[in-house]
Amino acid sequence: MHNAHRFACGFRASVAILTLSFFCSGALAQTGPDLLAKPWPDKDQYFDGRGAALFDNAGHIKESNQSFRLDTYESAGRFHLIPGSEISPRVGYDFSFMDLHTNDPKLPNQLTDVSVGVGMGLFKNGNWIGAMSVGLGYAGDSAFANGAAWYGKADLMLVDQLNENDFIGFGLDYDGHRPTWPDIPIPGVAYSHRFDPHLQIVAGFPFSSLSWKPIDPLDIELEYELVSDLRSDISYQFVKHWKAYGLWDYRRDAYHVSELPSNRRLMFVQYRVEAGIRFQPKEQISAGIGLGYAFDTHFRSGWDFQDTKRVADASDVPYVRAEVSVRF
């Protein structure tokens, strides 16, 4: 029993860095290495899930002047099969659906990305931890009908806890859906240092981050993925249960569509800036609503973002987004 407890504590502390060093872009991701590494707020918790819906104002395609409006629905969650055990297998899911309201013949009517994953610890040897996760997903225009749109995911991780505040992690990440280099396993390394409970910095390749709480009601989260993505979320609790927040997000995704050959994908890019409020009546429940502005929305065709051709550019538009998170 004592050894099992030591393993669980060491596993929980050590693999926390992996959710940062190999986190693919997309805040809701739950089917990659983050499924294994992300700590549970409550050790007896079974489920942790989030969802969001975003509705653009009416816009148009710049090249054809066809009308265009994008509605996006997202959900992600994870299940703890043996609550209370940090080495318990976990099952996670990601779901994203984009409804493209347009008559432009170059664009599909809808785009779906859904995946499931399983993660578990493999071994512990001294301060070293080994872990893995595997997943299966689909990203295409016709739900589950395009054979080329299926993809796999897998991760191998090795982490060393140097001391109470310092970690170094190594790993190999394969993601057949990755917008860049989807067919190449990518090695990663990251060093994490916790200055105090209010400030933690991760520096590495391909991911770096900062988590900072300079004063009690203020939270600052920054994430940067090399060359491609930057996301920031700043929130301030102005009264009990209520927070004001500001969000910057750069989103990329890729889909197999029927109009393109199997060696090319439809690439999607959108920048977002947003402000809103969040209500948290209980620690396990949170809901929010925000107003934002989506700009530089465009579609390209290619295998990845290194070599693409223009398909369509959409006009800049305001949007409204609602979010909810639940734990039990």
Side-chain angles (χ1 to χ4, degrees):
M1 179 70 69
H2 180 63
N3 290 337
H5 176 72
R6 289 180 58 195
F7 183 92
C9 292
F11 181 83
R12 176 181 56 197
S14 300
V15 301
I17 188 176
L18 292 170
T19 188
L20 300 175
S21 59
F22 296 98
F23 201 109
C24 297
S25 61
L28 296 177
Q30 294 284 354
T31 58
D34 47 301
L35 170 63
L36 184 67
K38 189 176 181 180
W40 293 80
D42 185 340
K43 66 178 182 178
D44 297 321
Q45 189 175 314
Y46 280 92
F47 175 74
D48 183 7
R50 293 170 291 165
L54 184 151
F55 305 98
D56 280 357
N57 193 22
H60 64 276
I61 300 298
K62 295 180 180 179
E63 295 85 357
S64 64
N65 207 34
Q66 292 276 0
S67 62
F68 178 83
R69 182 170 60 85
L70 180 63
D71 296 337
T72 304
Y73 307 90
E74 298 175 320
S75 179
R78 54 183 177 147
F79 298 86
H80 208 178
L81 299 186
I82 308 176
S85 171
E86 292 294 337
I87 61 173
S88 164
R90 301 99 186 272
V91 178
Y93 75 89
D94 290 328
F95 171 81
S96 175
F97 177 81
M98 295 199 303
D99 195 1
L100 285 69
H101 300 274
T102 183
N103 293 321
D104 193 301
K106 299 186 298 295
L107 296 176
N109 294 323
Q110 59 187 31
L111 293 167
T112 302
D113 181 15
V114 59
S115 62
V116 295
V118 179
M120 65 186 69
L122 296 177
F123 69 86
K124 180 179 186 294
N125 185 5
N127 291 328
W128 289 92
I129 295 292
M132 70 173 293
S133 64
V134 294
L136 178 67
Y138 178 93
D141 57 338
S142 301
F144 309 111
N146 188 334
W150 291 95
Y151 62 88
K153 305 173 74 172
D155 295 275
L156 292 175
M157 315 173 194
L158 188 63
V159 181
D160 183 21
Q161 181 176 357
L162 303 176
N163 53 56
E164 183 178 352
N165 297 312
D166 295 274
F167 305 84
I168 187 167
F170 307 90
L172 190 65
D173 171 66
Y174 173 79
D175 185 349
H177 180 56
R178 192 186 299 118
T180 302
W181 304 321
D183 48 355
I184 301 175
I186 295 180
V189 61
Y191 170 76
S192 173
H193 179 71
R194 183 177 59 184
F195 291 89
D196 57 52
H198 305 293
L199 176 61
Q200 178 166 311
I201 294 177
V202 175
F205 174 88
F207 189 86
S208 298
S209 74
L210 178 145
S211 180
W212 187 26
K213 193 179 183 69
I215 57 176
D216 189 57
L218 180 63
D219 293 283
I220 300 174
E221 300 286 340
L222 300 175
E223 299 173 355
Y224 171 68
E225 188 174 355
L226 187 67
V227 180
S228 58
D229 302 323
L230 174 65
R231 186 178 192 275
S232 65
D233 190 322
I234 301 174
S235 62
Y236 185 85
Q237 181 174 308
F238 56 94
V239 295
K240 187 177 181 180
H241 304 309
W242 290 91
K243 290 183 177 182
Y245 74 89
L247 176 68
W248 163 274
D249 197 10
Y250 169 44
R251 177 179 177 178
R252 301 182 311 159
D253 215 333
Y255 302 86
H256 284 276
V257 299
S258 304
E259 290 75 12
L260 295 174
S262 59
N263 64 348
R264 298 189 71 82
R265 299 183 293 172
L266 184 67
M267 322 298 287
F268 169 75
V269 176
Q270 186 178 65
Y271 291 83
R272 299 173 184 168
V273 60
E274 177 182 328
I277 58 172
R278 292 177 178 139
F279 175 57
Q280 190 171 10
K282 296 183 178 180
E283 185 178 355
Q284 298 82 4
I285 301 174
S286 176
I289 189 166
L291 297 175
Y293 192 71
F295 60 98
D296 200 15
T297 301
H298 56 266
F299 296 86
R300 300 288 187 268
S301 68
W303 178 240
D304 64 15
F305 275 98
Q306 297 181 95
D307 182 18
T308 63
K309 295 181 179 179
R310 175 183 293 181
V311 174
D313 293 342
S315 60
D316 304 339
V317 293
Y319 67 83
V320 60
R321 188 178 72 94
E323 62 177 37
V324 63
S325 64
V326 179
R327 304 196 305 264
F328 61 81

